[in-house]
Amino acid sequence: QSAVVRPRASDRSMITVSWGCVVAVVAVTLTLGACGRKSEVPVVMPPQVPPVAANPAPVRRPPASVPEGARRWRKVILAEWRYAFGIASDEAIPFSQIAQESGWKEDARSRVGALGLSQFMPSTAAGFQRNVSRLQELCSTPAGCPMEPRWAIRAMTVYDFDEWKWAGFAPTDRDRWAFMLSSYNGGRAALRREQHACGKPCDQTRWFDHVERVGRRADWAIRENREYVRRIIFHHQPIYRRWLG
């Protein structure tokens, strides 16, 4: 008969410890094995943020909407304006002025009798036609042709340039344009009277907040003249500047 060998108590404790070590070793091995394999769990990567440019390009606004008349006569207006003023002047001025004068209506007639795109009075048109040879190239009628757009654009440019040269005393470009426009609308004589009435601290060489505050004409004429200048420079001019680029 085979003898059954029963382990002593101390041997049983050693076996128990050995199995515990085996289990621990297996667990560590499995863990390390899992670390060594490619993970089957999808990894969520942080979103890629595009780098910010050091000098980001400015956002270009779409061109402002302008009347069809401005598009139709653009080349003619620019050619006439550059002929008189050169290419360095503000080319939005004549477009803004026509917008205020007639709203681009070629057959416009005011309640006081002003005619065409640039709203020349008949007597003023006749005087310019008589004295400006370049206008005679476009029209043979002694009275001039204020209802003809090319004549009206050239006549307005000639008138503007005369007043702009006269206003060379203005200390800023904006004041010089304002004097030119105020004279075109209401006449240089009325404007000169207001300049002379502009005593200290009023500055006779500045239109905005100085001469514009002095009135030496009818109330309705003062309101019309001041609104005329301000509408052109502060309302129309920014629109046509964006459109012209």
Side-chain angles (χ1 to χ4, degrees):
Q1 294 181 353
S2 301
V4 178
V5 180
R6 299 180 180 276
R8 297 190 299 275
S10 59
D11 295 336
R12 287 198 300 271
S13 63
M14 291 178 62
I15 294 171
T16 303
V17 171
S18 297
W19 275 106
C21 291
V22 170
V23 171
V25 170
V26 171
V28 171
T29 303
L30 290 174
T31 302
L32 292 175
C35 292
R37 296 193 308 271
K38 291 182 178 180
S39 174
E40 297 178 357
V41 179
V43 178
V44 179
M45 299 297 291
Q48 296 295 318
V49 179
V52 179
N55 296 308
V59 178
R60 291 186 61 85
R61 296 179 179 178
S65 176
V66 298
E68 178 59 30
R71 301 177 187 277
R72 182 184 306 118
W73 296 107
R74 174 173 175 155
K75 291 183 179 180
V76 174
I77 293 171
L78 291 178
E80 294 292 342
W81 194 257
R82 290 169 183 174
Y83 181 89
F85 287 86
I87 61 175
S89 65
D90 193 331
E91 295 177 341
I93 289 287
F95 292 90
S96 306
Q97 192 174 1
I98 292 175
Q100 182 64 28
E101 283 286 351
S102 61
W104 296 99
K105 297 176 182 177
E106 298 174 11
D107 59 349
R109 294 175 182 269
S110 76
R111 66 181 184 278
V112 296
L115 305 171
L117 279 180
S118 53
Q119 290 290 279
F120 265 61
M121 293 295 290
S123 59
T124 307
F128 269 69
Q129 176 69 12
R130 181 173 58 254
N131 297 317
V132 181
S133 60
R134 293 190 68 243
L135 290 175
Q136 297 166 11
E137 297 171 2
L138 300 176
C139 172
S140 59
T141 304
C145 301
M147 300 296 283
E148 202 288 312
R150 291 180 185 274
W151 190 97
I153 291 167
R154 181 170 294 182
M156 183 191 76
T157 304
V158 171
Y159 197 153
D160 280 347
F161 188 61
D162 284 345
E163 300 310 306
W164 182 81
K165 286 190 298 181
W166 165 72
F169 53 79
T172 68
D173 287 341
R174 178 169 286 181
D175 281 300
R176 191 173 186 179
W177 292 125
F179 276 113
M180 181 196 82
L181 294 168
S182 178
S183 182
Y184 184 99
N185 172 261
R188 191 191 298 183
L191 186 55
R192 289 292 299 273
R193 287 196 299 270
E194 291 167 346
Q195 273 188 293
H196 292 320
C198 177
K200 292 182 179 180
C202 178
D203 186 345
Q204 295 182 1
T205 67
R206 304 187 73 99
W207 193 86
F208 288 104
D209 298 321
H210 289 270
V211 175
E212 73 163 327
R213 296 183 181 276
V214 179
R216 288 297 182 272
R217 59 187 93 183
D219 289 343
W220 68 266
I222 294 173
R223 288 192 301 270
E224 179 185 282
N225 187 260
R226 279 32 172 185
E227 182 182 358
Y228 178 84
V229 175
R230 288 186 166 274
R231 285 278 296 173
I232 289 173
I233 291 179
F234 296 115
H235 176 71
H236 297 296
Q237 192 177 28
I239 295 173
Y240 287 99
R241 274 180 177 171
R242 289 197 298 270
W243 177 63
L244 291 169

PDB file of all heavy atoms in Angstrom, residues 205-232:
ATOM      1  N   THR A 205     -10.754 131.119 -41.838  1.00  0.00           N
ATOM      2  CA  THR A 205     -10.162 130.149 -42.764  1.00  0.00           C
ATOM      3  C   THR A 205     -10.729 128.752 -42.585  1.00  0.00           C
ATOM      4  O   THR A 205     -10.377 127.851 -43.354  1.00  0.00           O
ATOM      5  CB  THR A 205      -8.633 130.076 -42.589  1.00  0.00           C
ATOM      6  OG1 THR A 205      -8.317 129.510 -41.299  1.00  0.00           O
ATOM      7  CG2 THR A 205      -8.015 131.460 -42.705  1.00  0.00           C
ATOM      8  N   ARG A 206     -11.579 128.578 -41.597  1.00  0.00           N
ATOM      9  CA  ARG A 206     -12.148 127.241 -41.345  1.00  0.00           C
ATOM     10  C   ARG A 206     -13.658 127.302 -41.565  1.00  0.00           C
ATOM     11  O   ARG A 206     -14.333 128.190 -41.033  1.00  0.00           O
ATOM     12  CB  ARG A 206     -11.827 126.761 -39.929  1.00  0.00           C
ATOM     13  CG  ARG A 206     -10.342 126.736 -39.601  1.00  0.00           C
ATOM     14  CD  ARG A 206     -10.085 126.100 -38.257  1.00  0.00           C
ATOM     15  NE  ARG A 206     -10.265 124.675 -38.309  1.00  0.00           N
ATOM     16  CZ  ARG A 206      -9.264 123.797 -38.436  1.00  0.00           C
ATOM     17  NH1 ARG A 206      -8.031 124.219 -38.537  1.00  0.00           N
ATOM     18  NH2 ARG A 206      -9.505 122.504 -38.462  1.00  0.00           N
ATOM     19  N   TRP A 207     -14.161 126.325 -42.310  1.00  0.00           N
ATOM     20  CA  TRP A 207     -15.598 126.308 -42.575  1.00  0.00           C
ATOM     21  C   TRP A 207     -16.349 125.612 -41.459  1.00  0.00           C
ATOM     22  O   TRP A 207     -17.297 126.167 -40.903  1.00  0.00           O
ATOM     23  CB  TRP A 207     -15.893 125.633 -43.916  1.00  0.00           C
ATOM     24  CG  TRP A 207     -17.296 125.847 -44.388  1.00  0.00           C
ATOM     25  CD1 TRP A 207     -17.771 126.907 -45.099  1.00  0.00           C
ATOM     26  CD2 TRP A 207     -18.430 124.992 -44.133  1.00  0.00           C
ATOM     27  NE1 TRP A 207     -19.119 126.775 -45.333  1.00  0.00           N
ATOM     28  CE2 TRP A 207     -19.559 125.600 -44.740  1.00  0.00           C
ATOM     29  CE3 TRP A 207     -18.603 123.779 -43.474  1.00  0.00           C
ATOM     30  CZ2 TRP A 207     -20.828 125.024 -44.710  1.00  0.00           C
ATOM     31  CZ3 TRP A 207     -19.879 123.213 -43.424  1.00  0.00           C
ATOM     32  CH2 TRP A 207     -20.972 123.830 -44.038  1.00  0.00           C
ATOM     33  N   PHE A 208     -15.933 124.374 -41.125  1.00  0.00           N
ATOM     34  CA  PHE A 208     -16.638 123.607 -40.097  1.00  0.00           C
ATOM     35  C   PHE A 208     -16.500 124.263 -38.725  1.00  0.00           C
ATOM     36  O   PHE A 208     -15.406 124.605 -38.275  1.00  0.00           O
ATOM     37  CB  PHE A 208     -16.097 122.166 -40.040  1.00  0.00           C
ATOM     38  CG  PHE A 208     -16.504 121.338 -41.228  1.00  0.00           C
ATOM     39  CD1 PHE A 208     -15.588 121.059 -42.231  1.00  0.00           C
ATOM     40  CD2 PHE A 208     -17.795 120.854 -41.356  1.00  0.00           C
ATOM     41  CE1 PHE A 208     -15.951 120.299 -43.333  1.00  0.00           C
ATOM     42  CE2 PHE A 208     -18.171 120.102 -42.456  1.00  0.00           C
ATOM     43  CZ  PHE A 208     -17.249 119.821 -43.448  1.00  0.00           C
ATOM     44  N   ASP A 209     -17.668 124.451 -38.078  1.00  0.00           N
ATOM     45  CA  ASP A 209     -17.757 125.009 -36.724  1.00  0.00           C
ATOM     46  C   ASP A 209     -17.283 126.457 -36.628  1.00  0.00           C
ATOM     47  O   ASP A 209     -17.155 126.997 -35.526  1.00  0.00           O
ATOM     48  CB  ASP A 209     -16.967 124.152 -35.719  1.00  0.00           C
ATOM     49  CG  ASP A 209     -17.518 122.741 -35.624  1.00  0.00           C
ATOM     50  OD1 ASP A 209     -18.752 122.592 -35.669  1.00  0.00           O
ATOM     51  OD2 ASP A 209     -16.714 121.789 -35.522  1.00  0.00           O
ATOM     52  N   HIS A 210     -17.019 127.097 -37.761  1.00  0.00           N
ATOM     53  CA  HIS A 210     -16.614 128.499 -37.742  1.00  0.00           C
ATOM     54  C   HIS A 210     -17.479 129.297 -38.728  1.00  0.00           C
ATOM     55  O   HIS A 210     -18.513 129.819 -38.354  1.00  0.00           O
ATOM     56  CB  HIS A 210     -15.113 128.625 -38.062  1.00  0.00           C
ATOM     57  CG  HIS A 210     -14.242 128.120 -36.953  1.00  0.00           C
ATOM     58  ND1 HIS A 210     -13.789 128.910 -35.922  1.00  0.00           N
ATOM     59  CD2 HIS A 210     -13.751 126.862 -36.704  1.00  0.00           C
ATOM     60  CE1 HIS A 210     -13.059 128.192 -35.084  1.00  0.00           C
ATOM     61  NE2 HIS A 210     -13.017 126.947 -35.534  1.00  0.00           N
ATOM     62  N   VAL A 211     -17.071 129.379 -39.987  1.00  0.00           N
ATOM     63  CA  VAL A 211     -17.836 130.153 -40.956  1.00  0.00           C
ATOM     64  C   VAL A 211     -19.236 129.572 -41.134  1.00  0.00           C
ATOM     65  O   VAL A 211     -20.207 130.324 -41.360  1.00  0.00           O
ATOM     66  CB  VAL A 211     -17.090 130.211 -42.307  1.00  0.00           C
ATOM     67  CG1 VAL A 211     -17.929 130.918 -43.366  1.00  0.00           C
ATOM     68  CG2 VAL A 211     -15.750 130.920 -42.144  1.00  0.00           C
ATOM     69  N   GLU A 212     -19.373 128.267 -41.020  1.00  0.00           N
ATOM     70  CA  GLU A 212     -20.706 127.667 -41.203  1.00  0.00           C
ATOM     71  C   GLU A 212     -21.708 128.143 -40.155  1.00  0.00           C
ATOM     72  O   GLU A 212     -22.915 128.048 -40.365  1.00  0.00           O
ATOM     73  CB  GLU A 212     -20.611 126.136 -41.177  1.00  0.00           C
ATOM     74  CG  GLU A 212     -20.365 125.526 -39.814  1.00  0.00           C
ATOM     75  CD  GLU A 212     -20.679 124.039 -39.744  1.00  0.00           C
ATOM     76  OE1 GLU A 212     -21.607 123.578 -40.438  1.00  0.00           O
ATOM     77  OE2 GLU A 212     -19.978 123.341 -38.983  1.00  0.00           O
ATOM     78  N   ARG A 213     -21.215 128.647 -39.037  1.00  0.00           N
ATOM     79  CA  ARG A 213     -22.100 129.114 -37.971  1.00  0.00           C
ATOM     80  C   ARG A 213     -22.514 130.581 -38.145  1.00  0.00           C
ATOM     81  O   ARG A 213     -23.290 131.103 -37.336  1.00  0.00           O
ATOM     82  CB  ARG A 213     -21.421 128.916 -36.613  1.00  0.00           C
ATOM     83  CG  ARG A 213     -21.157 127.455 -36.266  1.00  0.00           C
ATOM     84  CD  ARG A 213     -20.547 127.320 -34.890  1.00  0.00           C
ATOM     85  NE  ARG A 213     -20.275 125.930 -34.551  1.00  0.00           N
ATOM     86  CZ  ARG A 213     -21.153 125.081 -34.043  1.00  0.00           C
ATOM     87  NH1 ARG A 213     -22.393 125.499 -33.805  1.00  0.00           N
ATOM     88  NH2 ARG A 213     -20.819 123.835 -33.763  1.00  0.00           N
ATOM     89  N   VAL A 214     -21.975 131.231 -39.169  1.00  0.00           N
ATOM     90  CA  VAL A 214     -22.305 132.636 -39.421  1.00  0.00           C
ATOM     91  C   VAL A 214     -23.292 132.707 -40.581  1.00  0.00           C
ATOM     92  O   VAL A 214     -23.053 132.139 -41.648  1.00  0.00           O
ATOM     93  CB  VAL A 214     -21.038 133.453 -39.761  1.00  0.00           C
ATOM     94  CG1 VAL A 214     -21.395 134.903 -40.038  1.00  0.00           C
ATOM     95  CG2 VAL A 214     -20.013 133.338 -38.638  1.00  0.00           C
ATOM     96  N   GLY A 215     -24.413 133.362 -40.384  1.00  0.00           N
ATOM     97  CA  GLY A 215     -25.418 133.454 -41.435  1.00  0.00           C
ATOM     98  C   GLY A 215     -25.609 134.878 -41.942  1.00  0.00           C
ATOM     99  O   GLY A 215     -25.904 135.780 -41.147  1.00  0.00           O
ATOM    100  N   ARG A 216     -25.427 135.030 -43.241  1.00  0.00           N
ATOM    101  CA  ARG A 216     -25.680 136.334 -43.855  1.00  0.00           C
ATOM    102  C   ARG A 216     -26.522 136.152 -45.118  1.00  0.00           C
ATOM    103  O   ARG A 216     -26.289 136.767 -46.144  1.00  0.00           O
ATOM    104  CB  ARG A 216     -24.350 137.033 -44.185  1.00  0.00           C
ATOM    105  CG  ARG A 216     -23.582 137.538 -42.987  1.00  0.00           C
ATOM    106  CD  ARG A 216     -24.371 138.620 -42.241  1.00  0.00           C
ATOM    107  NE  ARG A 216     -23.622 139.169 -41.101  1.00  0.00           N
ATOM    108  CZ  ARG A 216     -23.646 138.667 -39.879  1.00  0.00           C
ATOM    109  NH1 ARG A 216     -24.384 137.587 -39.624  1.00  0.00           N
ATOM    110  NH2 ARG A 216     -22.964 139.234 -38.910  1.00  0.00           N
ATOM    111  N   ARG A 217     -27.534 135.298 -44.992  1.00  0.00           N
ATOM    112  CA  ARG A 217     -28.465 135.059 -46.089  1.00  0.00           C
ATOM    113  C   ARG A 217     -29.779 134.584 -45.484  1.00  0.00           C
ATOM    114  O   ARG A 217     -29.892 134.456 -44.265  1.00  0.00           O
ATOM    115  CB  ARG A 217     -27.899 134.041 -47.080  1.00  0.00           C
ATOM    116  CG  ARG A 217     -27.578 132.688 -46.490  1.00  0.00           C
ATOM    117  CD  ARG A 217     -26.853 131.772 -47.484  1.00  0.00           C
ATOM    118  NE  ARG A 217     -25.403 131.870 -47.349  1.00  0.00           N
ATOM    119  CZ  ARG A 217     -24.559 131.216 -48.130  1.00  0.00           C
ATOM    120  NH1 ARG A 217     -25.004 130.461 -49.121  1.00  0.00           N
ATOM    121  NH2 ARG A 217     -23.253 131.324 -47.943  1.00  0.00           N
ATOM    122  N   ALA A 218     -30.773 134.305 -46.301  1.00  0.00           N
ATOM    123  CA  ALA A 218     -32.080 133.885 -45.780  1.00  0.00           C
ATOM    124  C   ALA A 218     -31.939 132.587 -44.979  1.00  0.00           C
ATOM    125  O   ALA A 218     -31.057 131.766 -45.238  1.00  0.00           O
ATOM    126  CB  ALA A 218     -33.054 133.689 -46.937  1.00  0.00           C
ATOM    127  N   ASP A 219     -32.853 132.414 -44.014  1.00  0.00           N
ATOM    128  CA  ASP A 219     -32.771 131.233 -43.148  1.00  0.00           C
ATOM    129  C   ASP A 219     -32.831 129.932 -43.957  1.00  0.00           C
ATOM    130  O   ASP A 219     -32.080 128.993 -43.690  1.00  0.00           O
ATOM    131  CB  ASP A 219     -33.906 131.253 -42.121  1.00  0.00           C
ATOM    132  CG  ASP A 219     -33.706 132.334 -41.069  1.00  0.00           C
ATOM    133  OD1 ASP A 219     -32.566 132.836 -40.941  1.00  0.00           O
ATOM    134  OD2 ASP A 219     -34.692 132.678 -40.376  1.00  0.00           O
ATOM    135  N   TRP A 220     -33.740 129.882 -44.929  1.00  0.00           N
ATOM    136  CA  TRP A 220     -33.855 128.659 -45.716  1.00  0.00           C
ATOM    137  C   TRP A 220     -32.580 128.412 -46.523  1.00  0.00           C
ATOM    138  O   TRP A 220     -32.161 127.258 -46.704  1.00  0.00           O
ATOM    139  CB  TRP A 220     -35.068 128.731 -46.658  1.00  0.00           C
ATOM    140  CG  TRP A 220     -34.934 129.753 -47.764  1.00  0.00           C
ATOM    141  CD1 TRP A 220     -35.388 131.040 -47.755  1.00  0.00           C
ATOM    142  CD2 TRP A 220     -34.277 129.577 -49.024  1.00  0.00           C
ATOM    143  NE1 TRP A 220     -35.068 131.680 -48.928  1.00  0.00           N
ATOM    144  CE2 TRP A 220     -34.387 130.814 -49.730  1.00  0.00           C
ATOM    145  CE3 TRP A 220     -33.630 128.516 -49.633  1.00  0.00           C
ATOM    146  CZ2 TRP A 220     -33.853 130.993 -51.009  1.00  0.00           C
ATOM    147  CZ3 TRP A 220     -33.095 128.698 -50.908  1.00  0.00           C
ATOM    148  CH2 TRP A 220     -33.212 129.920 -51.588  1.00  0.00           C
ATOM    149  N   ALA A 221     -31.945 129.490 -46.994  1.00  0.00           N
ATOM    150  CA  ALA A 221     -30.718 129.350 -47.773  1.00  0.00           C
ATOM    151  C   ALA A 221     -29.564 128.883 -46.894  1.00  0.00           C
ATOM    152  O   ALA A 221     -28.718 128.088 -47.333  1.00  0.00           O
ATOM    153  CB  ALA A 221     -30.364 130.677 -48.437  1.00  0.00           C
ATOM    154  N   ILE A 222     -29.531 129.342 -45.659  1.00  0.00           N
ATOM    155  CA  ILE A 222     -28.492 128.894 -44.722  1.00  0.00           C
ATOM    156  C   ILE A 222     -28.641 127.399 -44.465  1.00  0.00           C
ATOM    157  O   ILE A 222     -27.667 126.635 -44.524  1.00  0.00           O
ATOM    158  CB  ILE A 222     -28.578 129.684 -43.401  1.00  0.00           C
ATOM    159  CG1 ILE A 222     -28.241 131.151 -43.636  1.00  0.00           C
ATOM    160  CG2 ILE A 222     -27.654 129.073 -42.357  1.00  0.00           C
ATOM    161  CD1 ILE A 222     -28.462 132.022 -42.415  1.00  0.00           C
ATOM    162  N   ARG A 223     -29.871 126.967 -44.162  1.00  0.00           N
ATOM    163  CA  ARG A 223     -30.105 125.548 -43.882  1.00  0.00           C
ATOM    164  C   ARG A 223     -29.736 124.692 -45.085  1.00  0.00           C
ATOM    165  O   ARG A 223     -29.090 123.640 -44.950  1.00  0.00           O
ATOM    166  CB  ARG A 223     -31.576 125.322 -43.488  1.00  0.00           C
ATOM    167  CG  ARG A 223     -31.931 125.853 -42.111  1.00  0.00           C
ATOM    168  CD  ARG A 223     -33.300 125.340 -41.677  1.00  0.00           C
ATOM    169  NE  ARG A 223     -34.352 125.746 -42.607  1.00  0.00           N
ATOM    170  CZ  ARG A 223     -35.057 126.881 -42.492  1.00  0.00           C
ATOM    171  NH1 ARG A 223     -34.797 127.719 -41.497  1.00  0.00           N
ATOM    172  NH2 ARG A 223     -36.015 127.178 -43.354  1.00  0.00           N
ATOM    173  N   GLU A 224     -30.150 125.126 -46.263  1.00  0.00           N
ATOM    174  CA  GLU A 224     -29.869 124.351 -47.471  1.00  0.00           C
ATOM    175  C   GLU A 224     -28.367 124.263 -47.724  1.00  0.00           C
ATOM    176  O   GLU A 224     -27.844 123.187 -48.063  1.00  0.00           O
ATOM    177  CB  GLU A 224     -30.557 124.996 -48.672  1.00  0.00           C
ATOM    178  CG  GLU A 224     -30.296 124.272 -49.993  1.00  0.00           C
ATOM    179  CD  GLU A 224     -30.900 125.006 -51.175  1.00  0.00           C
ATOM    180  OE1 GLU A 224     -32.122 124.893 -51.368  1.00  0.00           O
ATOM    181  OE2 GLU A 224     -30.145 125.716 -51.885  1.00  0.00           O
ATOM    182  N   ASN A 225     -27.676 125.377 -47.563  1.00  0.00           N
ATOM    183  CA  ASN A 225     -26.242 125.412 -47.832  1.00  0.00           C
ATOM    184  C   ASN A 225     -25.463 124.529 -46.864  1.00  0.00           C
ATOM    185  O   ASN A 225     -24.567 123.774 -47.277  1.00  0.00           O
ATOM    186  CB  ASN A 225     -25.747 126.856 -47.758  1.00  0.00           C
ATOM    187  CG  ASN A 225     -24.307 126.983 -48.199  1.00  0.00           C
ATOM    188  OD1 ASN A 225     -23.407 127.065 -47.373  1.00  0.00           O
ATOM    189  ND2 ASN A 225     -24.076 127.009 -49.512  1.00  0.00           N
ATOM    190  N   ARG A 226     -25.778 124.610 -45.596  1.00  0.00           N
ATOM    191  CA  ARG A 226     -25.054 123.812 -44.589  1.00  0.00           C
ATOM    192  C   ARG A 226     -25.342 122.322 -44.764  1.00  0.00           C
ATOM    193  O   ARG A 226     -24.449 121.482 -44.663  1.00  0.00           O
ATOM    194  CB  ARG A 226     -25.426 124.255 -43.186  1.00  0.00           C
ATOM    195  CG  ARG A 226     -24.731 125.503 -42.640  1.00  0.00           C
ATOM    196  CD  ARG A 226     -24.383 126.539 -43.638  1.00  0.00           C
ATOM    197  NE  ARG A 226     -23.884 127.773 -43.014  1.00  0.00           N
ATOM    198  CZ  ARG A 226     -23.605 128.860 -43.699  1.00  0.00           C
ATOM    199  NH1 ARG A 226     -23.783 128.896 -45.019  1.00  0.00           N
ATOM    200  NH2 ARG A 226     -23.152 129.943 -43.091  1.00  0.00           N
ATOM    201  N   GLU A 227     -26.601 122.002 -45.030  1.00  0.00           N
ATOM    202  CA  GLU A 227     -26.953 120.596 -45.238  1.00  0.00           C
ATOM    203  C   GLU A 227     -26.299 120.058 -46.514  1.00  0.00           C
ATOM    204  O   GLU A 227     -25.857 118.907 -46.548  1.00  0.00           O
ATOM    205  CB  GLU A 227     -28.471 120.438 -45.326  1.00  0.00           C
ATOM    206  CG  GLU A 227     -28.907 118.991 -45.492  1.00  0.00           C
ATOM    207  CD  GLU A 227     -30.407 118.844 -45.624  1.00  0.00           C
ATOM    208  OE1 GLU A 227     -31.121 119.861 -45.551  1.00  0.00           O
ATOM    209  OE2 GLU A 227     -30.866 117.699 -45.816  1.00  0.00           O
ATOM    210  N   TYR A 228     -26.212 120.877 -47.524  1.00  0.00           N
ATOM    211  CA  TYR A 228     -25.587 120.487 -48.785  1.00  0.00           C
ATOM    212  C   TYR A 228     -24.149 120.028 -48.563  1.00  0.00           C
ATOM    213  O   TYR A 228     -23.744 118.942 -48.996  1.00  0.00           O
ATOM    214  CB  TYR A 228     -25.633 121.680 -49.741  1.00  0.00           C
ATOM    215  CG  TYR A 228     -24.981 121.465 -51.086  1.00  0.00           C
ATOM    216  CD1 TYR A 228     -25.674 120.863 -52.130  1.00  0.00           C
ATOM    217  CD2 TYR A 228     -23.680 121.894 -51.319  1.00  0.00           C
ATOM    218  CE1 TYR A 228     -25.077 120.692 -53.378  1.00  0.00           C
ATOM    219  CE2 TYR A 228     -23.079 121.729 -52.559  1.00  0.00           C
ATOM    220  CZ  TYR A 228     -23.774 121.118 -53.576  1.00  0.00           C
ATOM    221  OH  TYR A 228     -23.187 120.943 -54.811  1.00  0.00           O
ATOM    222  N   VAL A 229     -23.374 120.839 -47.875  1.00  0.00           N
ATOM    223  CA  VAL A 229     -21.970 120.505 -47.631  1.00  0.00           C
ATOM    224  C   VAL A 229     -21.847 119.261 -46.771  1.00  0.00           C
ATOM    225  O   VAL A 229     -21.066 118.340 -47.076  1.00  0.00           O
ATOM    226  CB  VAL A 229     -21.244 121.694 -46.964  1.00  0.00           C
ATOM    227  CG1 VAL A 229     -19.809 121.313 -46.589  1.00  0.00           C
ATOM    228  CG2 VAL A 229     -21.235 122.905 -47.890  1.00  0.00           C
ATOM    229  N   ARG A 230     -22.588 119.225 -45.689  1.00  0.00           N
ATOM    230  CA  ARG A 230     -22.454 118.103 -44.753  1.00  0.00           C
ATOM    231  C   ARG A 230     -22.956 116.791 -45.346  1.00  0.00           C
ATOM    232  O   ARG A 230     -22.382 115.724 -45.075  1.00  0.00           O
ATOM    233  CB  ARG A 230     -23.175 118.428 -43.440  1.00  0.00           C
ATOM    234  CG  ARG A 230     -22.439 119.475 -42.613  1.00  0.00           C
ATOM    235  CD  ARG A 230     -23.059 119.692 -41.253  1.00  0.00           C
ATOM    236  NE  ARG A 230     -22.172 120.445 -40.380  1.00  0.00           N
ATOM    237  CZ  ARG A 230     -21.217 119.914 -39.630  1.00  0.00           C
ATOM    238  NH1 ARG A 230     -21.060 118.596 -39.636  1.00  0.00           N
ATOM    239  NH2 ARG A 230     -20.435 120.664 -38.883  1.00  0.00           N
ATOM    240  N   ARG A 231     -23.998 116.814 -46.130  1.00  0.00           N
ATOM    241  CA  ARG A 231     -24.497 115.586 -46.758  1.00  0.00           C
ATOM    242  C   ARG A 231     -23.468 115.025 -47.732  1.00  0.00           C
ATOM    243  O   ARG A 231     -23.270 113.818 -47.799  1.00  0.00           O
ATOM    244  CB  ARG A 231     -25.804 115.867 -47.501  1.00  0.00           C
ATOM    245  CG  ARG A 231     -27.006 116.033 -46.609  1.00  0.00           C
ATOM    246  CD  ARG A 231     -27.593 114.712 -46.184  1.00  0.00           C
ATOM    247  NE  ARG A 231     -28.113 113.943 -47.315  1.00  0.00           N
ATOM    248  CZ  ARG A 231     -28.565 112.690 -47.207  1.00  0.00           C
ATOM    249  NH1 ARG A 231     -28.538 112.067 -46.061  1.00  0.00           N
ATOM    250  NH2 ARG A 231     -29.031 112.069 -48.269  1.00  0.00           N
ATOM    251  N   ILE A 232     -22.812 115.899 -48.477  1.00  0.00           N
ATOM    252  CA  ILE A 232     -21.818 115.437 -49.445  1.00  0.00           C
ATOM    253  C   ILE A 232     -20.624 114.810 -48.732  1.00  0.00           C
ATOM    254  O   ILE A 232     -20.183 113.697 -49.072  1.00  0.00           O
ATOM    255  CB  ILE A 232     -21.362 116.600 -50.348  1.00  0.00           C
ATOM    256  CG1 ILE A 232     -22.491 116.978 -51.311  1.00  0.00           C
ATOM    257  CG2 ILE A 232     -20.102 116.225 -51.131  1.00  0.00           C
ATOM    258  CD1 ILE A 232     -22.209 118.227 -52.131  1.00  0.00           C
TER     259      ILE A 232
END
